[in-house]
Each structure stands twice: as structure tokens, then as C-alpha cells.
Short mmCIF file of all heavy atoms in Angstrom, two decimals:
data_model
loop_
_atom_site.label_atom_id
_atom_site.label_comp_id
_atom_site.label_asym_id
_atom_site.label_seq_id
_atom_site.Cartn_x
_atom_site.Cartn_y
_atom_site.Cartn_z
N MET A 291 33.31 -15.31 1.77
CA MET A 291 34.62 -15.91 1.94
C MET A 291 35.02 -15.80 3.41
O MET A 291 34.89 -14.76 4.03
CB MET A 291 35.63 -15.21 1.04
CG MET A 291 37.00 -15.79 1.11
SD MET A 291 38.04 -15.01 -0.11
CE MET A 291 39.32 -16.19 -0.15
N ALA A 292 35.48 -16.87 3.97
CA ALA A 292 35.85 -16.91 5.38
C ALA A 292 37.20 -16.24 5.61
O ALA A 292 38.05 -16.18 4.72
CB ALA A 292 35.91 -18.36 5.86
N ASN A 293 37.38 -15.71 6.81
CA ASN A 293 38.69 -15.20 7.21
C ASN A 293 39.61 -16.38 7.48
O ASN A 293 39.17 -17.47 7.83
CB ASN A 293 38.57 -14.35 8.48
CG ASN A 293 37.81 -13.09 8.23
OD1 ASN A 293 37.95 -12.46 7.20
ND2 ASN A 293 36.99 -12.71 9.19
N ARG A 294 40.89 -16.15 7.37
CA ARG A 294 41.86 -17.21 7.62
C ARG A 294 42.74 -16.77 8.78
O ARG A 294 43.23 -15.66 8.81
CB ARG A 294 42.69 -17.44 6.37
CG ARG A 294 43.60 -18.61 6.49
CD ARG A 294 44.28 -18.88 5.15
NE ARG A 294 44.93 -20.16 5.26
CZ ARG A 294 44.54 -21.25 4.66
NH1 ARG A 294 43.51 -21.21 3.85
NH2 ARG A 294 45.17 -22.38 4.83
N PHE A 295 42.92 -17.67 9.75
CA PHE A 295 43.72 -17.40 10.93
C PHE A 295 44.80 -18.46 11.07
O PHE A 295 44.57 -19.62 10.75
CB PHE A 295 42.85 -17.43 12.20
CG PHE A 295 41.73 -16.44 12.19
CD1 PHE A 295 40.47 -16.79 11.77
CD2 PHE A 295 41.95 -15.13 12.61
CE1 PHE A 295 39.44 -15.88 11.76
CE2 PHE A 295 40.92 -14.22 12.60
CZ PHE A 295 39.67 -14.58 12.17
N GLN A 296 45.94 -18.06 11.56
CA GLN A 296 47.00 -19.02 11.88
C GLN A 296 47.24 -18.91 13.38
O GLN A 296 47.57 -17.84 13.89
CB GLN A 296 48.28 -18.71 11.12
CG GLN A 296 49.37 -19.70 11.42
CD GLN A 296 50.60 -19.48 10.55
OE1 GLN A 296 50.52 -18.93 9.47
NE2 GLN A 296 51.73 -19.90 11.05
N ILE A 297 47.05 -20.02 14.08
CA ILE A 297 47.18 -20.05 15.53
C ILE A 297 48.15 -21.15 15.92
O ILE A 297 47.99 -22.30 15.49
CB ILE A 297 45.81 -20.31 16.20
CG1 ILE A 297 44.80 -19.23 15.80
CG2 ILE A 297 45.95 -20.38 17.71
CD1 ILE A 297 43.38 -19.53 16.23
N ASP A 298 49.15 -20.83 16.72
CA ASP A 298 50.04 -21.85 17.26
C ASP A 298 49.40 -22.42 18.52
O ASP A 298 48.90 -21.67 19.36
CB ASP A 298 51.41 -21.24 17.62
CG ASP A 298 52.15 -20.77 16.38
OD1 ASP A 298 51.99 -21.39 15.32
OD2 ASP A 298 52.89 -19.78 16.47
N GLY A 299 49.39 -23.73 18.65
CA GLY A 299 48.76 -24.32 19.81
C GLY A 299 49.25 -25.72 20.10
O GLY A 299 50.13 -26.25 19.42
N GLU A 300 48.66 -26.32 21.11
CA GLU A 300 49.03 -27.65 21.58
C GLU A 300 48.08 -28.73 21.10
O GLU A 300 48.50 -29.83 20.79
CB GLU A 300 49.07 -27.66 23.12
CG GLU A 300 50.03 -26.66 23.73
CD GLU A 300 51.48 -26.96 23.39
OE1 GLU A 300 51.85 -28.14 23.32
OE2 GLU A 300 52.24 -26.01 23.18
N GLU A 301 46.78 -28.46 21.08
CA GLU A 301 45.76 -29.44 20.68
C GLU A 301 44.62 -28.71 19.99
O GLU A 301 44.38 -27.54 20.24
CB GLU A 301 45.16 -30.15 21.91
CG GLU A 301 46.10 -31.05 22.66
CD GLU A 301 45.39 -31.67 23.85
OE1 GLU A 301 44.61 -32.61 23.63
OE2 GLU A 301 45.63 -31.22 24.97
N VAL A 302 43.92 -29.45 19.14
CA VAL A 302 42.71 -28.92 18.49
C VAL A 302 41.55 -29.80 18.90
O VAL A 302 41.66 -31.02 18.92
CB VAL A 302 42.86 -28.92 16.95
CG1 VAL A 302 41.56 -28.52 16.30
CG2 VAL A 302 43.98 -28.00 16.53
N LEU A 303 40.43 -29.17 19.22
CA LEU A 303 39.24 -29.90 19.62
C LEU A 303 38.07 -29.39 18.78
O LEU A 303 37.83 -28.18 18.74
CB LEU A 303 38.96 -29.64 21.11
CG LEU A 303 37.71 -30.24 21.69
CD1 LEU A 303 37.85 -31.76 21.76
CD2 LEU A 303 37.45 -29.68 23.07
N ASP A 304 37.38 -30.27 18.09
CA ASP A 304 36.16 -29.90 17.37
C ASP A 304 34.99 -30.14 18.30
O ASP A 304 34.92 -31.18 18.95
CB ASP A 304 35.98 -30.77 16.11
CG ASP A 304 36.96 -30.42 15.02
OD1 ASP A 304 37.32 -29.24 14.92
OD2 ASP A 304 37.35 -31.31 14.27
N GLY A 305 34.10 -29.18 18.37
CA GLY A 305 32.96 -29.33 19.26
C GLY A 305 31.78 -28.53 18.77
O GLY A 305 31.81 -27.94 17.69
N GLN A 306 30.75 -28.51 19.58
CA GLN A 306 29.55 -27.77 19.26
C GLN A 306 29.19 -26.89 20.44
O GLN A 306 29.27 -27.34 21.59
CB GLN A 306 28.41 -28.74 18.95
CG GLN A 306 27.19 -28.07 18.41
CD GLN A 306 26.17 -29.09 17.96
OE1 GLN A 306 26.02 -30.15 18.54
NE2 GLN A 306 25.45 -28.77 16.91
N VAL A 307 28.80 -25.66 20.16
CA VAL A 307 28.40 -24.74 21.21
C VAL A 307 27.01 -25.14 21.69
O VAL A 307 26.11 -25.38 20.88
CB VAL A 307 28.39 -23.29 20.69
CG1 VAL A 307 27.95 -22.33 21.78
CG2 VAL A 307 29.77 -22.91 20.18
N LYS A 308 26.83 -25.23 23.00
CA LYS A 308 25.55 -25.64 23.57
C LYS A 308 25.00 -24.55 24.47
O LYS A 308 25.74 -23.79 25.08
CB LYS A 308 25.72 -26.94 24.36
CG LYS A 308 26.20 -28.06 23.46
CD LYS A 308 26.25 -29.37 24.15
CE LYS A 308 26.73 -30.41 23.15
NZ LYS A 308 26.99 -31.67 23.76
N GLU A 309 23.68 -24.49 24.54
CA GLU A 309 22.99 -23.51 25.37
C GLU A 309 23.38 -23.71 26.84
O GLU A 309 23.51 -24.84 27.31
CB GLU A 309 21.49 -23.69 25.21
CG GLU A 309 20.68 -22.63 25.90
CD GLU A 309 19.20 -22.78 25.62
OE1 GLU A 309 18.84 -23.33 24.57
OE2 GLU A 309 18.42 -22.34 26.48
N PHE A 310 23.55 -22.59 27.54
CA PHE A 310 23.93 -22.63 28.96
C PHE A 310 23.34 -21.39 29.63
O PHE A 310 23.93 -20.31 29.57
CB PHE A 310 25.46 -22.65 29.08
CG PHE A 310 25.96 -22.82 30.48
CD1 PHE A 310 25.91 -24.06 31.10
CD2 PHE A 310 26.49 -21.75 31.18
CE1 PHE A 310 26.39 -24.23 32.39
CE2 PHE A 310 26.97 -21.91 32.47
CZ PHE A 310 26.92 -23.15 33.07
N GLY A 311 22.13 -21.52 30.20
CA GLY A 311 21.46 -20.37 30.81
C GLY A 311 21.19 -19.30 29.78
O GLY A 311 20.61 -19.56 28.74
N ASN A 312 21.66 -18.07 30.05
CA ASN A 312 21.49 -16.95 29.11
C ASN A 312 22.67 -16.82 28.16
O ASN A 312 22.83 -15.82 27.49
CB ASN A 312 21.32 -15.63 29.88
CG ASN A 312 20.02 -15.59 30.62
OD1 ASN A 312 19.05 -16.21 30.22
ND2 ASN A 312 20.00 -14.86 31.71
N SER A 313 23.52 -17.83 28.12
CA SER A 313 24.75 -17.79 27.34
C SER A 313 24.92 -19.11 26.60
O SER A 313 23.95 -19.80 26.32
CB SER A 313 25.93 -17.55 28.30
OG SER A 313 27.11 -17.35 27.59
N ALA A 314 26.14 -19.45 26.26
CA ALA A 314 26.46 -20.72 25.61
C ALA A 314 27.85 -21.13 26.04
O ALA A 314 28.63 -20.31 26.53
CB ALA A 314 26.40 -20.56 24.09
N HIS A 315 28.17 -22.42 25.88
CA HIS A 315 29.50 -22.88 26.27
C HIS A 315 29.99 -23.99 25.35
O HIS A 315 29.21 -24.62 24.65
CB HIS A 315 29.54 -23.34 27.73
CG HIS A 315 28.90 -24.66 27.98
ND1 HIS A 315 27.62 -24.79 28.44
CD2 HIS A 315 29.37 -25.93 27.82
CE1 HIS A 315 27.32 -26.09 28.56
NE2 HIS A 315 28.36 -26.80 28.18
N VAL A 316 31.28 -24.18 25.38
CA VAL A 316 31.94 -25.29 24.67
C VAL A 316 32.65 -26.11 25.73
O VAL A 316 33.41 -25.56 26.53
CB VAL A 316 32.96 -24.77 23.64
CG1 VAL A 316 33.68 -25.92 22.96
CG2 VAL A 316 32.28 -23.87 22.61
N THR A 317 32.40 -27.39 25.77
CA THR A 317 33.03 -28.26 26.77
C THR A 317 34.41 -28.70 26.27
O THR A 317 34.56 -29.11 25.12
CB THR A 317 32.16 -29.50 27.03
OG1 THR A 317 30.85 -29.05 27.44
CG2 THR A 317 32.75 -30.37 28.11
N VAL A 318 35.40 -28.59 27.15
CA VAL A 318 36.76 -29.04 26.84
C VAL A 318 37.19 -30.03 27.91
O VAL A 318 36.59 -30.12 28.97
CB VAL A 318 37.75 -27.85 26.78
CG1 VAL A 318 37.36 -26.88 25.68
CG2 VAL A 318 37.86 -27.14 28.11
N PRO A 319 38.24 -30.80 27.65
CA PRO A 319 38.69 -31.78 28.63
C PRO A 319 39.11 -31.14 29.95
O PRO A 319 39.65 -30.02 29.97
CB PRO A 319 39.91 -32.43 27.96
CG PRO A 319 39.73 -32.18 26.51
CD PRO A 319 39.02 -30.88 26.40
N LYS A 320 38.86 -31.83 31.05
CA LYS A 320 39.20 -31.34 32.38
C LYS A 320 40.69 -31.01 32.50
O LYS A 320 41.07 -30.08 33.19
CB LYS A 320 38.80 -32.37 33.44
CG LYS A 320 38.89 -31.85 34.86
CD LYS A 320 38.48 -32.92 35.85
CE LYS A 320 36.98 -32.93 35.98
NZ LYS A 320 36.53 -33.77 37.12
N ARG A 321 41.53 -31.75 31.79
CA ARG A 321 42.98 -31.51 31.87
C ARG A 321 43.37 -30.14 31.30
O ARG A 321 44.48 -29.68 31.47
CB ARG A 321 43.75 -32.62 31.17
CG ARG A 321 43.57 -32.68 29.68
CD ARG A 321 44.39 -33.82 29.06
NE ARG A 321 44.31 -33.80 27.63
CZ ARG A 321 43.33 -34.32 26.90
NH1 ARG A 321 42.32 -34.94 27.50
NH2 ARG A 321 43.33 -34.25 25.59
N TRP A 322 42.46 -29.46 30.61
CA TRP A 322 42.72 -28.12 30.06
C TRP A 322 42.52 -27.02 31.10
O TRP A 322 42.77 -25.86 30.82
CB TRP A 322 41.83 -27.85 28.87
CG TRP A 322 42.20 -28.58 27.62
CD1 TRP A 322 42.95 -29.71 27.50
CD2 TRP A 322 41.82 -28.23 26.30
NE1 TRP A 322 43.05 -30.09 26.20
CE2 TRP A 322 42.36 -29.20 25.42
CE3 TRP A 322 41.06 -27.21 25.77
CZ2 TRP A 322 42.17 -29.15 24.05
CZ3 TRP A 322 40.86 -27.17 24.39
CH2 TRP A 322 41.42 -28.13 23.55
N ARG A 323 42.05 -27.37 32.31
CA ARG A 323 41.81 -26.35 33.33
C ARG A 323 43.06 -25.51 33.54
O ARG A 323 44.16 -26.02 33.65
CB ARG A 323 41.40 -26.98 34.66
CG ARG A 323 39.99 -27.49 34.63
CD ARG A 323 39.58 -28.01 35.97
NE ARG A 323 40.44 -29.18 36.28
CZ ARG A 323 40.36 -29.87 37.40
NH1 ARG A 323 39.52 -29.53 38.32
NH2 ARG A 323 41.16 -30.90 37.59
N GLY A 324 42.89 -24.20 33.59
CA GLY A 324 43.99 -23.27 33.81
C GLY A 324 44.76 -22.90 32.56
O GLY A 324 45.62 -22.03 32.60
N ALA A 325 44.47 -23.54 31.42
CA ALA A 325 45.17 -23.24 30.17
C ALA A 325 44.52 -22.05 29.47
O ALA A 325 43.34 -21.76 29.66
CB ALA A 325 45.13 -24.46 29.25
N ASP A 326 45.30 -21.35 28.67
CA ASP A 326 44.76 -20.30 27.80
C ASP A 326 44.21 -20.97 26.55
O ASP A 326 44.83 -21.90 26.01
CB ASP A 326 45.86 -19.32 27.39
CG ASP A 326 46.37 -18.52 28.58
OD1 ASP A 326 45.60 -18.26 29.50
OD2 ASP A 326 47.56 -18.16 28.55
N VAL A 327 43.04 -20.54 26.09
CA VAL A 327 42.43 -21.12 24.89
C VAL A 327 41.92 -20.01 23.99
O VAL A 327 41.70 -18.88 24.43
CB VAL A 327 41.27 -22.09 25.23
CG1 VAL A 327 41.76 -23.27 26.05
CG2 VAL A 327 40.15 -21.38 25.94
N LYS A 328 41.70 -20.34 22.73
CA LYS A 328 41.06 -19.45 21.77
C LYS A 328 39.91 -20.22 21.14
O LYS A 328 40.03 -21.41 20.88
CB LYS A 328 42.05 -19.03 20.68
CG LYS A 328 43.21 -18.21 21.21
CD LYS A 328 44.07 -17.73 20.09
CE LYS A 328 45.31 -16.99 20.52
NZ LYS A 328 45.29 -16.25 21.72
N VAL A 329 38.81 -19.54 20.90
CA VAL A 329 37.65 -20.18 20.28
C VAL A 329 37.41 -19.49 18.93
O VAL A 329 37.34 -18.27 18.86
CB VAL A 329 36.39 -20.04 21.17
CG1 VAL A 329 35.17 -20.63 20.48
CG2 VAL A 329 36.63 -20.69 22.52
N VAL A 330 37.31 -20.28 17.88
CA VAL A 330 37.07 -19.76 16.53
C VAL A 330 35.76 -20.33 16.02
O VAL A 330 35.59 -21.55 15.98
CB VAL A 330 38.22 -20.15 15.57
CG1 VAL A 330 37.94 -19.66 14.17
CG2 VAL A 330 39.55 -19.62 16.08
N ARG A 331 34.81 -19.47 15.66
CA ARG A 331 33.54 -19.93 15.10
C ARG A 331 33.78 -20.26 13.63
O ARG A 331 34.28 -19.45 12.86
CB ARG A 331 32.47 -18.85 15.23
CG ARG A 331 31.11 -19.29 14.74
CD ARG A 331 30.03 -18.29 15.07
NE ARG A 331 30.31 -16.93 14.69
CZ ARG A 331 30.08 -16.41 13.48
NH1 ARG A 331 29.57 -17.17 12.52
NH2 ARG A 331 30.38 -15.17 13.22
N THR A 332 33.44 -21.48 13.21
CA THR A 332 33.70 -21.93 11.84
C THR A 332 32.45 -22.04 10.98
O THR A 332 32.55 -22.42 9.81
CB THR A 332 34.42 -23.30 11.86
OG1 THR A 332 33.60 -24.23 12.55
CG2 THR A 332 35.78 -23.19 12.54
N SER A 333 31.28 -21.71 11.53
CA SER A 333 30.05 -21.71 10.74
C SER A 333 29.11 -20.66 11.32
O SER A 333 29.31 -20.17 12.43
CB SER A 333 29.39 -23.09 10.75
OG SER A 333 28.93 -23.40 12.05
N GLU A 334 28.07 -20.34 10.57
CA GLU A 334 27.06 -19.41 11.05
C GLU A 334 26.22 -20.10 12.13
O GLU A 334 25.97 -21.30 12.04
CB GLU A 334 26.15 -18.97 9.90
CG GLU A 334 26.84 -18.09 8.88
CD GLU A 334 27.25 -16.75 9.45
OE1 GLU A 334 26.51 -16.18 10.29
OE2 GLU A 334 28.34 -16.26 9.07
N PRO A 335 25.77 -19.35 13.13
CA PRO A 335 24.90 -19.94 14.15
C PRO A 335 23.60 -20.42 13.52
O PRO A 335 23.10 -19.83 12.57
CB PRO A 335 24.64 -18.78 15.11
CG PRO A 335 25.70 -17.78 14.86
CD PRO A 335 26.09 -17.96 13.42
N THR A 336 23.06 -21.51 14.07
CA THR A 336 21.79 -22.03 13.56
C THR A 336 20.59 -21.43 14.28
O THR A 336 19.49 -21.49 13.79
CB THR A 336 21.72 -23.56 13.70
OG1 THR A 336 21.93 -23.91 15.06
CG2 THR A 336 22.78 -24.23 12.84
N GLU A 337 20.83 -20.85 15.46
CA GLU A 337 19.77 -20.20 16.22
C GLU A 337 20.15 -18.74 16.42
O GLU A 337 21.30 -18.42 16.66
CB GLU A 337 19.59 -20.85 17.58
CG GLU A 337 19.17 -22.29 17.50
CD GLU A 337 18.99 -22.91 18.86
OE1 GLU A 337 18.95 -22.16 19.87
OE2 GLU A 337 18.92 -24.13 18.95
N GLN A 338 19.18 -17.86 16.33
CA GLN A 338 19.42 -16.44 16.52
C GLN A 338 18.85 -15.97 17.84
O GLN A 338 17.74 -16.32 18.21
CB GLN A 338 18.79 -15.63 15.39
CG GLN A 338 19.37 -15.94 14.01
CD GLN A 338 20.85 -15.57 13.91
OE1 GLN A 338 21.29 -14.56 14.45
NE2 GLN A 338 21.61 -16.40 13.24
N ASP A 339 19.64 -15.20 18.60
CA ASP A 339 19.17 -14.62 19.85
C ASP A 339 18.27 -13.43 19.57
O ASP A 339 18.44 -12.74 18.57
CB ASP A 339 20.34 -14.12 20.70
CG ASP A 339 21.10 -15.24 21.36
OD1 ASP A 339 20.55 -16.34 21.48
OD2 ASP A 339 22.25 -15.00 21.78
N GLU A 340 17.35 -13.20 20.47
CA GLU A 340 16.53 -11.99 20.42
C GLU A 340 17.05 -11.06 21.48
O GLU A 340 16.71 -11.20 22.65
CB GLU A 340 15.06 -12.32 20.65
CG GLU A 340 14.46 -13.18 19.55
CD GLU A 340 12.99 -13.48 19.82
OE1 GLU A 340 12.38 -12.76 20.62
OE2 GLU A 340 12.49 -14.44 19.24
N GLU A 341 17.93 -10.12 21.10
CA GLU A 341 18.52 -9.20 22.09
C GLU A 341 17.87 -7.88 22.05
O GLU A 341 17.36 -7.40 21.14
CB GLU A 341 20.02 -9.07 21.82
CG GLU A 341 20.73 -10.35 22.11
CD GLU A 341 22.25 -10.19 22.00
OE1 GLU A 341 22.75 -9.08 22.25
OE2 GLU A 341 22.90 -11.17 21.69
#
């Protein structure tokens, strides 16, 4: 069963996490620069890291 969160915000963006060097990133619109954001994972990762 998933956790449930309530977040007040301005916009919602659905996206996909993409590989970025030794990390990963989510691309957001340029107009969001300088804004505070929260990222919520809504599914299990499809790839597993070897740490």
C-alpha cells in the first residue's frame, strides 16, 4: 500500500527520471528556476544501482 501525501503547490508535472552521470535527474521547465520543489516517487525503480 502506498503512502499518501498532501502537498500544497502551484503546478504539477509528470515526468520520468533519467540517468545523469552517476546520478539521475528530472527535467522541469526553465521558468521554474529558483523555485522550491518537491519530488515524489510514484512507482518502484525499473533499474537497480549496484552500490
Side-chain angles (χ1 to χ4, degrees):
M291 182 174 198
N293 293 321
R294 186 173 191 109
F295 301 94
Q296 181 174 335
I297 301 171
D298 294 327
E300 301 295 324
E301 293 180 76
V302 174
L303 176 69
D304 287 328
Q306 189 173 35
V307 179
K308 299 186 180 172
E309 187 176 333
F310 186 75
N312 291 332
S313 187
H315 75 262
V316 177
T317 303
V318 299
K320 190 180 276 191
R321 67 179 185 278
W322 286 21
R323 286 184 296 179
D326 294 328
V327 298
K328 296 185 185 329
V329 177
V330 177
R331 183 171 51 85
T332 58
S333 67
E334 291 294 323
T336 56
E337 298 180 13
Q338 298 296 322
D339 284 341
E340 295 180 20
E341 292 187 29

